[in-house]
């Protein structure tokens, strides 16, 4: 029988026909592809990093910035991270991190403890207060011709406040009917937990999701509740792409198109996530989008003191996950070379370390473009550009009409690669499926001969080689005679 690698649905029993495991793989239309390992990109900054962003300059060049607890950094062409903070640096409140939005040629940063910071691309050498009246807000986004800020953390804390700058002027935050700068306290829904922008704004709150639509003077923005009672559980879960916002609520993952919210994980990965996440470390969560692969990814600490990434293909509506060595993830950025030794970020990890590179990085003429998932590990920026992580795929339970049978042959269907296989056979569903036997590797004819008896069989498949797609396995199962 052909066993295709279909959906991974850990909230469903293996006998229902879904994959039991899909670790360190990426969902594809047919089967799964490899998840690259994170590889060091930058040299170490002066402190641990908590966020990364790429900003465009008027010349169309792209510059990468990163944030730490007390400083903001700029990635230089020699891969060093220079301190571009304002004089005196910063204080980031416990549990907060830097968040960014771009408004025209200015990159704006917020950490919930300092006035909004601005860096004018192509002009500034250091960040500076965005304006004398700019708020000390946790969350920021851009909606039409306004920067929107949420959860004002100034001398008086307004956790349910959303405010915006003057029309077309990100430096003016003095409320005025003339400039249209103003604020709105949302009376129900709890605290602001995140913002998403674009043609309209979306405000994520503890117990509500609210749309803010530009209507001009005198109201400026109209606020309409999309969801009442269901809100955002973790601010760091909010991520937006192509007008769709994704977030974690207290019962699972949702998407919002500005008109309604929809569950994307119910009876699929909700129970798996809440069983594996370390709730006490939920505030360290991060989220990113990989537009090339149509992925939204959440990174979180698990109960085994490791780090998982939960991966969702928003076009295919398929899930997978990974075990990675990163602290946070950020939406995609990439680095390529324009001259010299042919070094790219894709082969950078092959040298082992920056010190082992064949020539000075100054000679490579690096330019920064988009299209690669990045993150942080300690004081360094990393990129998911290394060799494929060791994948693990476990098939659903296979049987011949719930009668005793023997698996005698497995042939992997893995493009540009092969695999090793371990089998678990059991007589009753009440028995625990265990992979305690031998590991079998495909021979030169792409065949794995084995013999395992039971009523229900699971195969643990570990792809190998420079594989590109794991489609499934062909399995020979024959009836077992009874005495």
């Amino acid at each position: 029988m052909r066993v295709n690698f279909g959906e991974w649905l850990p909230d469903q029993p293996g006998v229902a026909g879904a994959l039991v495991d899909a670790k360190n793989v990426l969902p594809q239309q047919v089967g799964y592809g490899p998840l690259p390992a994170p590889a060091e990109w930058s040299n170490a900054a002066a402190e641990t990093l908590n966020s990364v962003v790429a900003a465009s300059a008027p010349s169309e060049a792209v510059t990468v910035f990163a944030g730490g607890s007390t400083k903001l950094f700029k990635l230089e062409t020699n891969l060093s991270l220079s301190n571009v903070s304002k004089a005196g640096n910063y204080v980031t409140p416990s549990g907060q991190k830097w968040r960014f939005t771009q408004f025209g040629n200015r990159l704006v940063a917020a950490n919930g403890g300092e006035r909004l910071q601005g860096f004018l691309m192509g002009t500034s050498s250091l960040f500076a207060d965005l304006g004398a009246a700019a708020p000390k807000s946790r969350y920021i986004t851009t909606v039409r011709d306004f920067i929107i800020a949420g959860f004002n953390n100034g001398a008086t804390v307004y956790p349910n406040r959303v405010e915006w700058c003057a029309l077309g002027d990100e430096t003016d935050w003095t409320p005025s009917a003339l400039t249209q700068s103003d604020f709105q306290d949302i009376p129900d829904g709890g605290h602001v937990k995140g913002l998403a922008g674009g043609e309209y704004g979306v405000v994520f709150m503890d117990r509500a999701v609210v749309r803010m639509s530009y209507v001009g003077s005198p109201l400026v923005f109209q606020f309409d509740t999309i969801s009442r009672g269901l809100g955002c559980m973790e601010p760091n879960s909010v991520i937006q792409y192509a007008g769709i916002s994704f977030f974690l609520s207290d019962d699972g993952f949702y998407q919002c198109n500005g008109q309604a919210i929809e569950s994307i994980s119910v009876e699929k990965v909700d129970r798996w996530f809440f069983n594996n996440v370390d709730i006490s470390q939920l505030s360290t969560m991060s989220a990113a989008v990989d537009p090339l692969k149509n992925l939204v990814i959440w990174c979180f600490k698990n109960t085994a003191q490791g780090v998982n990434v939960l991966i969702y293909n928003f076009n295919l509506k398929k899930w997978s996950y990974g075990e990675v060595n990163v602290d946070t993830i950020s939406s995609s950025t990439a680095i390529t070379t324009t001259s010299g030794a042919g070094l790219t970020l894709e082969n950078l990890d092959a040298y082992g370390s920056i010190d082992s590179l064949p020539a000075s990085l100054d000679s490579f003429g690096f330019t920064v473009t988009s299209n690669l998932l990045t993150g942080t590990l300690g004081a360094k920026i990393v990129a998911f550009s290394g060799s494929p992580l060791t994948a693990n795929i476990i098939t659903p339970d296979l049987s011949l009409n719930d009668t005793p049978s023997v698996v005698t042959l497995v042939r992997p269907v893995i493009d540009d690669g092969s695999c090793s296989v371990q089998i678990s056979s059991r007589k009753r569903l009440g028995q625990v499926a265990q992979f305690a036997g031998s590991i079998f590797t495909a021979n030169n004819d792409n065949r794995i001969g084995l013999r395992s008896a039971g009523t229900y069989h699971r195969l643990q498949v570990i792809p190998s080689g420079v594989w590109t797609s794991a489609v499934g396995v062909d399995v020979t199962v024959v009836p077992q005679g009874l005495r």
Side-chain angles (χ1 to χ4, degrees):
M1 64 178 71
R2 168 65 59 87
V3 181
N4 291 318
F5 294 150
E7 280 196 76
W8 174 61
L9 301 174
D11 287 0
Q12 301 301 312
V15 73
L19 289 184
V20 176
D21 199 22
K23 183 175 75 174
N24 292 337
V25 294
L26 301 177
Q28 295 180 342
Q29 180 68 48
V30 178
Y32 294 83
L35 173 63
E40 288 185 4
W41 179 353
S42 72
N43 290 324
E47 63 185 15
T48 299
L49 303 177
N50 59 42
S51 58
V52 179
V53 69
S56 301
S59 64
E60 298 185 357
V62 178
T63 302
V64 174
F65 296 87
S69 60
T70 67
K71 299 177 181 66
L72 287 165
F73 301 94
K74 176 185 174 185
L75 182 67
E76 306 292 352
T77 55
N78 64 357
L79 300 188
S80 67
L81 287 164
S82 61
N83 183 2
V84 288
S85 308
K86 71 175 184 179
N89 299 322
Y90 308 103
V91 176
T92 299
S94 176
Q96 298 303 309
K97 69 174 188 177
W98 287 101
R99 294 176 171 86
F100 302 90
T101 190
Q102 187 158 357
F103 189 85
N105 293 325
R106 195 184 303 272
L107 179 66
V108 181
N111 72 347
E114 305 281 347
R115 294 199 185 279
L116 298 184
Q117 295 295 293
F119 189 99
L120 191 59
M121 301 298 296
T123 300
S124 296
S125 57
L126 298 175
F127 277 88
D129 288 354
L130 191 59
K136 299 178 179 180
S137 298
R138 291 183 178 181
Y139 314 111
I140 51 172
T141 191
T142 300
V143 176
R144 295 173 61 108
D145 297 319
F146 301 88
I147 289 181
I148 312 296
F151 198 121
N152 189 311
N153 202 33
T156 301
V157 178
Y158 296 97
N160 62 335
R161 174 167 292 185
V162 175
E163 50 194 309
W164 51 92
C165 68
L167 176 67
D169 185 355
E170 71 276 22
T171 66
D172 184 356
W173 290 81
T174 302
S176 166
L178 181 63
T179 68
Q180 300 189 30
S181 177
D182 207 346
F183 64 86
Q184 175 70 46
D185 293 326
I186 303 176
D188 58 343
H191 294 179
V192 175
K193 288 291 192 72
L195 301 170
E199 183 64 19
Y200 54 86
V202 180
V203 184
F204 297 92
M205 308 186 74
D206 288 312
R207 300 180 302 278
V209 178
V210 178
R211 174 184 171 123
M212 52 185 300
S213 305
Y214 179 72
V215 294
S217 297
L219 296 178
V220 187
F221 283 98
Q222 174 179 308
F223 289 78
D224 299 293
T225 300
I226 299 171
S227 166
R228 191 180 304 277
L230 188 151
C232 179
M233 181 180 184
E234 171 49 48
N236 293 321
S237 70
V238 177
I239 190 72
Q240 183 187 42
Y241 179 69
I244 305 296
S245 301
F246 303 87
F247 66 100
L248 174 68
S249 188
D250 55 8
D251 65 344
F253 292 90
Y254 287 81
Q255 66 180 27
C256 176
N257 62 3
Q259 300 291 336
I261 64 172
E262 175 187 2
S263 173
I264 59 175
S265 59
V266 63
E267 289 301 309
K268 293 185 176 183
V269 299
D270 284 341
R271 290 192 292 275
W272 179 92
F273 172 77
F274 285 110
N275 287 337
N276 283 275
V277 66
D278 184 348
I279 290 293
S280 67
Q281 298 290 317
L282 190 61
S283 63
T284 64
M285 192 179 203
S286 54
V289 168
D290 185 339
L292 281 184
K293 297 182 175 68
N294 304 313
L295 303 174
V296 56
I297 305 171
W298 290 273
C299 179
F300 62 93
K301 292 185 178 179
N302 58 40
T303 55
Q305 300 182 339
V307 177
N308 284 136
V309 285
L310 185 58
I311 304 165
Y312 177 63
N313 187 306
F314 47 78
N315 281 343
L316 303 178
K317 304 184 187 311
K318 291 174 61 176
W319 293 86
S320 65
Y321 78 104
E323 293 181 353
V324 297
N325 183 29
V326 298
D327 295 327
T328 69
I329 57 172
S330 301
S331 291
S332 62
T333 308
I335 191 167
T336 57
T337 58
T338 55
S339 64
L343 176 68
T344 68
L345 187 59
E346 286 73 15
N347 63 30
L348 181 61
D349 64 304
Y351 293 97
S353 70
I354 291 175
D355 295 335
S356 302
L357 294 178
S360 169
L361 285 168
D362 294 331
S363 66
F364 286 85
F366 281 103
T367 58
V368 182
T369 57
S370 60
N371 303 334
L372 192 64
L373 187 69
T374 59
T376 67
L377 178 60
K380 296 183 178 181
I381 301 174
V382 298
F384 285 76
S385 61
S387 301
L389 293 165
T390 301
N392 191 72
I393 300 171
I394 298 179
T395 68
D397 290 292
L398 316 175
S399 70
L400 290 179
N401 299 318
D402 299 325
T403 61
S405 58
V406 180
V407 176
T408 61
L409 181 69
V410 176
R411 290 188 294 186
V413 184
I414 298 177
D415 200 17
D416 297 325
S418 187
C419 75
S420 298
V421 166
Q422 198 170 20
I423 191 167
S424 171
S425 298
R426 50 184 174 156
K427 293 182 179 179
R428 301 181 306 277
L429 290 175
Q431 295 176 313
V432 177
Q434 294 181 330
F435 296 96
S438 301
I439 298 177
F440 303 91
T441 302
N443 62 21
N444 291 335
D445 294 324
N446 198 37
R447 296 163 62 92
I448 301 174
L450 48 81
R451 186 173 183 83
S452 185
T455 305
Y456 304 97
H457 312 277
R458 289 182 184 179
L459 294 169
Q460 180 170 254
V461 180
I462 305 172
S464 58
V466 188
W467 66 283
T468 55
S469 296
V471 176
V473 288
D474 289 331
V475 185
T476 299
V477 186
V478 298
Q480 184 180 30
L482 297 177
R483 294 184 180 180

